Every structure is written in structure tokens, then in C-alpha cells.
């Protein structure tokens, strides 16, 4: 453990103007606060914050950050209070300590809820001052270094999984690859001990069998560049066990089949030398196609810059080579910590504002549950990226598998919300089309457009999915309130007397809901029955009125969106004009069936609600059974009639064929029943079509 004077001397060695008194006070305060507390390995607990501070001195961080590291556990794990910290060290250090402090364990919450709430507070604090993240990463790194001393295996695995899912990607996102690599290696050793040991053994065998191959190849690269007047620092190493394991699992290959287990770094003076060195290396050894990446001209989202390539070396091995300047190398190792700018008032911020941090904070506002927050945050921090361009040439970075919807939300949330179509490289494509590296993407927008729930099936980024979910959730809530008011009006109409002016407020109080909107929503979702609402509005009325005919509860669906406040049942596919009945399902949208649907037989009649389509109702899908003659062109005749009638074919299935006739099940989009009747009449009039009928509702599947 670092002694007090050693820690202070370290800081003064790179920052002679540092507040020495601040550091000394923090050291003494933390030692006194932690007292006789011990860590799992038997060391004084005080050793942990000092080691965290020591890690941060390697990054040449300022005195406030070092003091924060020394104090970061005092509020959570000792009797020290935030007020004491602020009084002794000032508001800036107190704010940083509060941002780093982990939430106390709440046993009533699940592990995911605790992790999510901890992450929520952490990200909000980090968005104000990224030094919070640096202290937290150093804290987690030291905890991982001492993880083996925790006796409970379940706790060790939980910490390792959290490190792998959250903290290692966070380190990668701000370019701190040394932190990321060590955390991944330590977490991998805990989560997959057999795989870790196997890969380490294989690497040791490789070293023994090939001699000092890394040194020989490094020397060869240095000699090649030196002959052309380029002075370079060349370092080589075997890849880290986790990196090797991930490639083995992604490519589904064994260790023996993995040829690129060595990586080399070439550090030069300037950008021009980087490109010259690249040409020399490609001229000397064959390049591996598809493995070259130019992160100098197009840096990664975290500001990382370097040239990456892979070549087939003369020793019959494939090697990866990174080419960069000394400045690029410092930023690659320590990210934002490598280039601090002192601002007026003493606040330190990175030179470039990290856009991904803003995206994460936006996700905080959209996530409705702990699981959602963790899902979206992990998506936002995934490492595999592609580069795409706007029509004006702006570079947008996205995860692999991203679609135009993800691209639109990455540009701006409003653009994502209003997306109606997209062009990739000048060609109109479906919104679910994956974007490839280097594509130019143009988003087509309309102010009348809204996010669609169907986008969730192909949106790949946390920001896009969170925005879509937020809109769908808000729309569902608004429509549920509107539908509930219609049910409420029907309930009030059945009461034996007119309600007084305060009846609704009294009902809200009796039913213990927060307000009228929540009452209407619970009525629509079937959480509250008609009888419960009646009794709350007018005690004794439910028995007096009794069960009402369904016609007395008819509700219009005008203005409501299919799939949000109600769903059209797939067993009978009702369309506007059909006589319909709704089934109120607890905490789910009302399910709409045609009156003849056999599924209604299984639903209690008290859950039925007579529904009316309302003027201007949107169309739906209808299922047809069409028998065509087995003659050339018959299918074309059917398609031509459907097209002439303005019926879009959603699905077409050949269900039966024989020598004379083919039977097709056709799903089409129609406006209403009248439109459907015109389509059927047109089909029946054609000589090529033997019959055309609307398919009967399908009975429910019987349990085996």
C-alpha cells in the first residue's frame, strides 16, 4: 500500500501546483473513517481507496480526482456524512464522491434492479463530470484484482459478469483500452475458468515451441522500416485470453485453427509516416483481405485513431499490426484521461464531448424498468461498429446489424420519430435493411409519421429501441385512458340515478388510484370491473342494477389504433363493417372478435363488450380461400383482380393442389366489409377462378 508521502509525491511529480494539503487531509480523513475495517483478503480496508488513487496517479489526474478516489467509499462504508465531506473538502470533491458512491443494498429489490439503479445514478453523475467514471473504473479494476479473495463463488461471478457487461465496455467507450483489457481478462478467468486455463496453457506451449517468435518478428518489422529511414518503436505480444476466446466462439473454430494470435504495435512520429509504414509492410508481406481499417481518417466514436491491418508473415503465421503516432498511442491506452483541458473554475472536462454519454443519459429517461435500462445500456456500449455517412458527408457510427431506423435516431430523435423510408447509396430500401460499412444513408421523413411498434423487431441500437418503446408506451397509455372513458360513460349510463359533482373524486379515493386518468386506464385494462366502479361511484348500485345487456355497454373504437388500445383477433380477422365483440383481458388490450367467432364461447360473457367501428375506421386483413383452375395464367388473373380492386396481398399460401384445381389461402388488406364483398364478386366472375370465399373463423386450439 502507498504511504501518505508516496502518494502526494506521485501527484506533485506531474502537477507541482496540486493542493498538497487537500491530499493530506483526504488521506487522514479516510484512514480515520475506515478505522479497523478489513477487506476479504485480511488487508486494512483503507488500502483499497489508496490503491485506487494510485491507479489514477498513473493517469496524471488532478488533485480533486485523487482526493475523490481516497474518499470514494467513506460515505457508504463508514459513519462519515456527505455534509462532513463537503465541509472538509469543498463542494466539487463532495459532488464527485457522491457520484461514485455505490447505492446501499436494498434486499427487497432484485439483483437486476439494484444493478440498474446503481447504473442510473452513476450515468447521471458521469454526464456532469466524466472524472466520476474514471474513479469508478479504477475502483472496479482494483476490486477485480482482488476478486479471488471473496469466498462466495456466486458473489464473485456476479461482480465479474457486471464488469464484463458494463464496466469493461464503459472503459472501451472512452478509449481506456488498458483498463478494458485487464478487466475483461480478470472477469473471463472467473466466469470461464476452464476456458481461461486452456488458452493460457496453449499460449505457453506456443511460446516454448516457437522460441521467442514475437521478438524476432518485432525486430524484422523494425529493420524493414529502418532501411527506409523510418524510426519506429515496435512492440509485440500474444493476444489476451479473452480476445482469443471471443474469436474462437464467434468463428466457431478451435485454438489450432486460430492463426492470428499475435499482435504488433508500430509507433511513429507523424501521420505521414504511418501511411508510409503501411505501404512498406503491405509491400513486404501479403495483406489479409478485409482486415485493413483506417481509424486515422475515420476515428472511432471514442476518438481512437490508428491504422489496423493483418499480414501473412514469412514465418507462416498471420499477424495483426497497429500503426499509430505517439500521441495516438497515449490516447489509445488511456483515452480521455490522456488529454485533459483545465477550464475556468477548476472543472476538468475532456477536450471532446462524448456523444455516446448523451445517448446513455437519454436512454435513462426512456427506460421503464431495470431490465430495459440494462438492455439498452449494454446495446449502447457494444464494441463492434460500422461507419455510415449522411448525404452531406457526416460520419455516423453504429453497431453491426444497424438499420436505417437506427441511423435516423443516431442523427436526431425527431428524425427517427418521423422516418417513413430510406435510401442507401441512392436506392430505396426497406427500413429493416442492414447498413454496411461505408454506406451513404438518406432518411425520408414526414411530419405526419409516428414511431411504429413493428420497428422493435429490427432496431439494433439502445437509443432507437428506447425511443420507440417510450412512444408506444405513451400512445398505449393515452389510448387506454380514452377507451376507459368510453367504458366509464357506459357504466355511468347504467346507474339508477344521476351522479353528484363529487362522485368521481370519491370513487378515485375509494378505489385508491392516483387520479382520473389512472382510473380510466384500469377500467380499460380490466383491472377494475364494472361492478367495482359502480360501487365506488354509487354504493349499493351494482346489486340494484344487476347484469346489463351488452348492448347497453356498446363502445366506439373511433380514433383508437389497432394493436395499441385493442387488437384484432387473428382467429377471425375482423374488418370494419363486421359485427364485433370485445373481450376485456386483464392488463392487456381489448381483443376484438367477430360475433360468430368460436373463441368467444370460451370467454365469460361478463367480459364481453359490444363494440362499434366508428366513422373512418382503418381497414384490416381478410383471409380468403380461393380455388383456381390449373391452367397457365390463372394465378396472374387472381392477382390482377386483387390489384385492380386495390387489395394488397399480405400472404399467399398454396394449401392444396390436384390435377384440375389449386387451392390458395390468401391474406389481403381491405378497407371494410363492402370492399371485401366487391373483391369476392370480382374473383367469382372470372372464368379462371372456380370459387372464392372468406375463410371461417378458426376454432381455438385444444390442449393436448
Amino acid at each position: 500500500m502507498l504511504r501518505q508521502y508516496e502518494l502526494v509525491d506521485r501527484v506533485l511529480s506531474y502537477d507541482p501546483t496540486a493542493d498538497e494539503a487537500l491530499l493530506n487531509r483526504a488521506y487522514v480523513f479516510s484512514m480515520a473513517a475506515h478505522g479497523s475495517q478489513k477487506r476479504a483478503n485480511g488487508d486494512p480496508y483503507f488500502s483499497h481507496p489508496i490503491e485506487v488513487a494510485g491507479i489514477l496517479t498513473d493517469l496524471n489526474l488532478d488533485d480533486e480526482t485523487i482526493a475523490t478516489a481516497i474518499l470514494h467509499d467513506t460515505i457508504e462504508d463508514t459513519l462519515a456524512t456527505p455534509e462532513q465531506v463537503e465541509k472538509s473538502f469543498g463542494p466539487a470533491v463532495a459532488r464527485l464522491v457522491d457520484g461514485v458512491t455505490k447505492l446501499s443494498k436494498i434486499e427487497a429489490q432484485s439483483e437486476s434492479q439494484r444493478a440498474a439503479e446503481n447504473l442510473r445514478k452513476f450515468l447521471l453523475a458521469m454526464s456532469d463530470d466524466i472524472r466520476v467514471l474514471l474513479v469508478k473504473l479504477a475502483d472496479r479494476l482494483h476490486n477485480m484484482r482482488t476478486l479471488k479473495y471473496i469466498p462466495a463463488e456466486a458473489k464473485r461471478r456476479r461482480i465479474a459478469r457486471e464488469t464484463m457487461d458494463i464496466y469493461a465496455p464503459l472503459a472501451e467507450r472512452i478509449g481506456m483500452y488498458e483498463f478494458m483489457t485487464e478487466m475483461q481478462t480478470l472477469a473471463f478467468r472467473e466466469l470461464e475458468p476452464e476456458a481461461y486455463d486452456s488458452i493460457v496453457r496453449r499460449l505457453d506451449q506456443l511460446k516454448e515451441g516457437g522460441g521467442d517468435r514475437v521478438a524476432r518478428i518485432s525486430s524484422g518489422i523494425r529493420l524493414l522500416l529502418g532501411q527506409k529511414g523510418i524510426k519506429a518503436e515496435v512492440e509485440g505480444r500474444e493476444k489476451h485470453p479473452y480476445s482469443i476466446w471471443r474469436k474462437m466462439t464467434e468463428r466457431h473454430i478451435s485454438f489450432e485453427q486460430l492463426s492470428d494470435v499475435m499482435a504488433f504495435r508500430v509507433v511513429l512520429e507523424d501521420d505521414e509516416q504511418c501511411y508510409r509504414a503501411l505501404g512498406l509492410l503491405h509491400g513486404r508481406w501479403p495483406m489479409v483481405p478485409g482486415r485493413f481499417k483506417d481509424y486515422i481518417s475515420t476515428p472511432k466514436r471514442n476518438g481512437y485513431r490508428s491504422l489496423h491491418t493483418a499480414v501473412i508473415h514469412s514465418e507462416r503465421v498471420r499477424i495483426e499490426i497497429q500503426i499509430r503516432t505517439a500521441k495516438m498511442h497515449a490516447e489509445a491506452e488511456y483515452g480521455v484521461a490522456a488529454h485533459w483541458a483545465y477550464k475556468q473554475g477548476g472543472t476538468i472536462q475532456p477536450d471532446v464531448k462524448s456523444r455516446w454519454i448523451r445517448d446513455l443519459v437519454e436512454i435513462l429517461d426512456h427506460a421503464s424498468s431495470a431490465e430495459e435500462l440494462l438492455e439498452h445500456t449494454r446495446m449502447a456500449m457494444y464494441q463492434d461498429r460500422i461507419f455510415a455517412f449522411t448525404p452531406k458527408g457526416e460520419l455516423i457510427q453504429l453497431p453491426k446489424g444497424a438499420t436505417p431506423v437506427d441511423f435516423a435516431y443516431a442523427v436526431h430523435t425527431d428524425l427517427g420519430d418521423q422516418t417513413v423510408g430510406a435510401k442507401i447509396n441512392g436506392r430505396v430500401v426497406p427500413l429493416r435493411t442492414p447498413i454496411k460499412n461505408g454506406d451513404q444513408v438518406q432518411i425520408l421523413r414526414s411530419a405526419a409519421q409516428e414511431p411504429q411498434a413493428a420497428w422493435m423487431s429490427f432496431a439494433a441500437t439502445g437509443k432507437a429501441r428506447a425511443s420507440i418503446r417510450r412512444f408506444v408506451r405513451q400512445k398505449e397509455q393515452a389510448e387506454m385512458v380514452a377507451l376507459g372513458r368510453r367504458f366509464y360513460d357506459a357504466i355511468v349510463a347504467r346507474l339508477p340515478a344521476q351522479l353528484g359533482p363529487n362522485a368521481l373524486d370519491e370513487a378515485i379515493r375509494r378505489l385508491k388510484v392516483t387520479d382520473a386518468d389512472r382510473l380510466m386506464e384500469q377500467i380499460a385494462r380490466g383491472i377494475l370491473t364494472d361492478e367495482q366502479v359502480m360501487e365506488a361511484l354509487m354504493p349499493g348500485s351494482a346489486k340494484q342494477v344487476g347484469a346489463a345487456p351488452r348492448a347497453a355497454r356498446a363502445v366506439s373504437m373511433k380514433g383508437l389504433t389497432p394493436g395499441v388500445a385493442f387488437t384484432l383477433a387473428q382467429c377471425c380477422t375482423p374488418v370494419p363493417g363486421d359485427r364485433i365483440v370485445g373481450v376485456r383481458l386483464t392488463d392487456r388490450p381489448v381483443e376484438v372478435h367477430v360475433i360468430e367467432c368460436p373463441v368467444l364461447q370460451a370467454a365469460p360473457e361478463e367480459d364481453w363488450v359490444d363494440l362499434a367501428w366508428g366513422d373512418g375506421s382503418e381497414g384490416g386483413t381478410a383471409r380468403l380461400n380461393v380455388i383456381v383452375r390449373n391452367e397457365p395464367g390463372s394465378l396472374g388473373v387472381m392477382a390482377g383482380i386483387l390489384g385492380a380492386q386495390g387489395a394488397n396481398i399480405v400472404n399467399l399460401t398454396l394449401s392444396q393442389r390436384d390435377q384440375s384445381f389449386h387451392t390458395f389461402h390468401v391474406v389481403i388488406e381491405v378497407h371494410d366489409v363492402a370492399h371485401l364483398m366487391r373483391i369476392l364478386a370480382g374473383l367469382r366472375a372470372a372464368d379462371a377462378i372456380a370459387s372464392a370465399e372468406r375463410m371461417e373463423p378458426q376454432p381455438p386450439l385444444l390442449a393436448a
Side-chain angles (χ1 to χ4, degrees):
M1 182 181 72
L2 288 172
R3 298 178 184 272
Q4 182 174 344
Y5 74 89
E6 291 174 332
L7 180 63
V8 174
D9 286 348
R10 277 198 188 188
V11 178
L12 293 175
S13 68
Y14 61 79
D15 183 9
T17 64
D19 188 342
E20 185 175 350
L22 173 71
L23 299 174
N24 285 322
R25 287 201 311 275
Y27 196 103
V28 173
F29 183 96
S30 182
M31 177 177 284
H34 286 291
S36 60
Q37 291 177 344
K38 299 287 186 181
R39 303 199 79 216
N41 62 355
D43 289 344
Y45 191 94
F46 174 67
S47 65
H48 166 66
I50 296 306
E51 292 300 326
V52 172
I55 291 171
L56 294 176
T57 61
D58 292 336
L59 305 181
N60 293 358
L61 293 183
D62 65 301
D63 48 18
E64 287 184 348
T65 308
I66 303 303
T68 300
I70 298 171
L71 300 166
H72 78 271
D73 274 341
T74 54
I75 295 177
E76 179 189 2
D77 294 330
T78 76
L79 298 177
T81 66
E83 292 75 20
Q84 288 176 312
V85 173
E86 182 170 357
K87 181 179 179 180
S88 300
F89 305 100
V93 171
R95 176 174 48 83
L96 290 171
V97 171
D98 181 65
V100 180
T101 299
K102 299 181 292 291
L103 293 181
S104 299
K105 292 184 178 180
I106 304 172
E107 297 302 330
Q109 292 182 333
S110 67
E111 288 291 346
S112 63
Q113 285 174 320
R114 287 206 298 274
E117 288 306 313
N118 189 17
L119 181 62
R120 184 188 299 274
K121 181 180 179 182
F122 173 46
L123 292 176
L124 288 172
M126 181 184 75
S127 68
D128 292 330
D129 193 326
I130 203 167
R131 289 178 293 176
V132 171
L133 174 56
L134 299 178
V135 177
K136 185 65 176 180
L137 290 177
D139 173 46
R140 179 52 61 113
L141 178 59
H142 186 254
N143 282 334
M144 289 302 298
R145 288 174 177 175
T146 57
L147 183 67
K148 60 185 178 182
Y149 296 109
I150 296 177
E153 180 184 358
K155 184 176 181 180
R156 292 198 309 270
R157 292 183 63 84
R158 176 180 63 78
I159 294 172
R161 173 53 58 196
E162 189 178 63
T163 300
M164 188 71 84
D165 287 347
I166 296 174
Y167 293 103
L170 277 170
E172 189 273 341
R173 273 292 167 264
I174 60 171
M176 300 183 69
Y177 289 95
E178 285 294 308
F179 275 41
M180 176 199 74
T181 300
E182 187 174 354
M183 282 193 282
Q184 285 179 338
T185 300
L186 294 170
F188 175 54
R189 184 173 66 183
E190 180 62 42
L191 295 171
E192 301 287 347
E194 293 183 2
Y196 175 86
D197 291 341
S198 175
I199 291 173
V200 170
R201 283 198 305 270
R202 300 289 182 88
L203 288 173
D204 290 341
Q205 292 169 3
L206 193 65
K207 290 178 186 177
E208 294 172 2
D212 200 351
R213 180 183 289 178
V214 171
R216 289 199 307 271
I217 295 177
S218 297
S219 179
I221 294 174
R222 193 180 301 108
L223 179 63
L224 171 68
L225 298 178
Q227 290 172 346
K228 300 298 181 179
I230 299 176
K231 184 180 179 180
E233 295 180 14
V234 181
E235 295 180 357
R237 58 171 175 77
E238 287 85 9
K239 290 188 176 179
H240 298 284
Y242 175 70
S243 174
I244 293 173
W245 179 79
R246 189 171 62 181
K247 288 193 175 184
M248 289 168 57
T249 54
E250 287 175 353
R251 301 178 190 176
H252 304 288
I253 58 177
S254 65
F255 183 90
E256 288 73 20
Q257 294 171 298
L258 189 68
S259 54
D260 51 343
V261 296
M262 289 183 290
F264 296 84
R265 183 180 301 120
V266 179
V267 181
L268 304 163
E269 291 184 358
D270 54 39
D271 293 10
E272 181 184 355
Q273 285 194 354
C274 290
Y275 288 105
R276 281 188 62 202
L278 176 71
L280 292 171
L281 292 170
H282 282 182
R284 175 65 179 85
W285 296 295
M287 168 194 166
V288 179
R291 299 301 301 275
F292 169 65
K293 294 182 175 65
D294 184 351
Y295 293 122
I296 292 181
S297 63
T298 54
K300 287 188 176 184
R301 197 176 187 182
N302 57 20
Y304 174 87
R305 300 175 71 218
S306 184
L307 298 176
H308 288 195
T309 189
V311 299
I312 307 296
H313 193 267
S314 52
E315 293 206 14
R316 296 182 181 180
V317 292
R318 188 165 72 173
I319 62 174
E320 288 189 359
I321 304 176
Q322 300 170 354
I323 308 170
R324 59 180 66 149
T325 67
K327 181 180 178 182
M328 294 176 195
H329 178 58
E331 293 179 359
E333 296 296 291
Y334 301 114
V336 297
H339 52 105
W340 291 101
Y342 282 81
K343 305 293 183 181
Q344 189 172 4
T347 301
I348 299 178
Q349 295 293 346
D351 292 338
V352 181
K353 180 68 174 176
S354 298
R355 182 175 180 176
W356 69 275
I357 295 178
R358 297 197 300 270
D359 289 347
L360 287 181
V361 173
E362 187 174 342
I363 286 170
L364 292 179
D365 298 330
H366 295 180
S368 65
S369 66
E371 290 73 17
E372 237 181 75
L373 173 61
L374 291 173
E375 173 198 349
H376 295 330
T377 304
R378 287 166 184 161
M379 283 183 173
M381 296 188 297
Y382 274 146
Q383 300 174 20
D384 293 333
R385 316 295 289 181
I386 61 170
F387 300 89
F389 297 88
T390 69
K392 294 182 179 180
E394 181 185 356
L395 181 67
I396 302 296
Q397 297 188 45
L398 297 164
K400 288 182 180 179
T403 66
V405 167
D406 300 301
F407 183 94
Y409 277 106
V411 174
H412 197 279
T413 301
D414 290 344
L415 181 62
D417 289 345
Q418 297 175 3
T419 297
V420 293
K423 291 182 179 180
I424 294 182
N425 302 325
R427 184 170 60 89
V428 177
V429 298
L431 289 178
R432 62 174 59 250
T433 305
I435 297 172
K436 296 179 181 177
N437 217 13
D439 280 348
Q440 184 190 78
V441 183
Q442 179 183 355
I443 300 299
L444 310 178
R445 68 191 298 179
S446 168
Q449 175 67 310
E450 296 176 340
Q452 305 297 304
W455 293 353
M456 287 293 294
S457 64
F458 54 81
T461 62
K463 182 177 181 181
R465 293 176 67 86
S467 298
I468 296 164
R469 271 185 175 153
R470 178 191 60 171
F471 179 84
V472 171
R473 197 159 47 235
Q474 290 175 344
K475 185 169 186 178
E476 179 183 2
Q477 184 175 357
E479 294 207 3
M480 281 294 186
V481 170
L483 181 61
R485 288 192 182 279
R486 298 176 191 184
F487 287 148
Y488 173 80
D489 291 341
I491 293 170
V492 170
R494 295 170 52 198
L495 292 172
Q498 187 173 353
L499 286 177
N502 299 323
L504 179 57
D505 291 337
E506 286 298 312
I508 290 171
R509 183 183 60 80
R510 292 184 183 119
L511 293 170
K512 298 180 181 179
V513 293
T514 56
D515 53 38
D517 282 351
R518 300 292 77 73
L519 172 62
M520 303 309 164
E521 186 178 356
Q522 291 194 13
I523 292 172
R525 292 184 181 279
I527 298 173
L528 293 173
T529 66
D530 291 5
E531 289 72 20
Q532 286 175 309
V533 177
M534 280 184 176
E535 283 297 305
L537 289 168
M538 189 175 290
S541 61
K543 293 182 179 179
Q544 183 178 350
V545 172
R550 283 181 285 106
R553 295 188 287 160
V555 173
S556 171
M557 296 194 299
K558 182 178 180 180
L560 302 180
T561 307
V564 180
F566 67 90
T567 58
L568 299 175
Q570 294 302 302
C571 51
C572 53
T573 58
V575 297
D578 283 328
R579 171 71 192 286
I580 51 176
V581 173
V583 178
R584 292 170 67 184
L585 306 170
T586 303
D587 209 17
R588 286 167 56 190
V590 173
E591 194 171 81
V592 182
H593 298 261
V594 298
I595 190 66
E596 301 89 359
C597 183
V599 170
L600 291 175
Q601 308 303 321
E605 191 162 339
E606 58 266 23
D607 292 337
W608 290 18
V609 182
D610 262 8
L611 298 176
W613 289 99
D615 297 334
S617 294
E618 295 184 14
T621 58
R623 297 184 308 190
L624 308 182
N625 196 68
V626 183
I627 301 176
V628 302
R629 300 187 187 280
N630 186 11
E631 298 172 354
S634 294
L635 188 58
V637 170
M638 179 182 73
I641 293 171
L642 294 175
Q645 293 285 353
N648 187 42
I649 300 176
V650 177
N651 194 16
L652 178 68
T653 306
L654 177 63
S655 64
Q656 186 176 347
R657 62 184 300 175
D658 55 35
Q659 188 171 359
S660 302
F661 299 98
H662 290 174
T663 302
F664 289 93
H665 290 168
V666 188
V667 182
I668 58 174
E669 292 176 345
V670 298
H671 305 310
D672 50 32
V673 169
H675 185 205
L676 175 59
M677 291 302 104
R678 291 196 301 272
I679 293 169
L680 290 173
L683 291 171
R684 291 164 182 162
D687 181 62
I689 296 175
S691 71
E693 303 292 340
R694 185 178 183 183
M695 293 180 66
E696 295 293 326
Q698 302 296 308
L701 295 174
L702 298 177

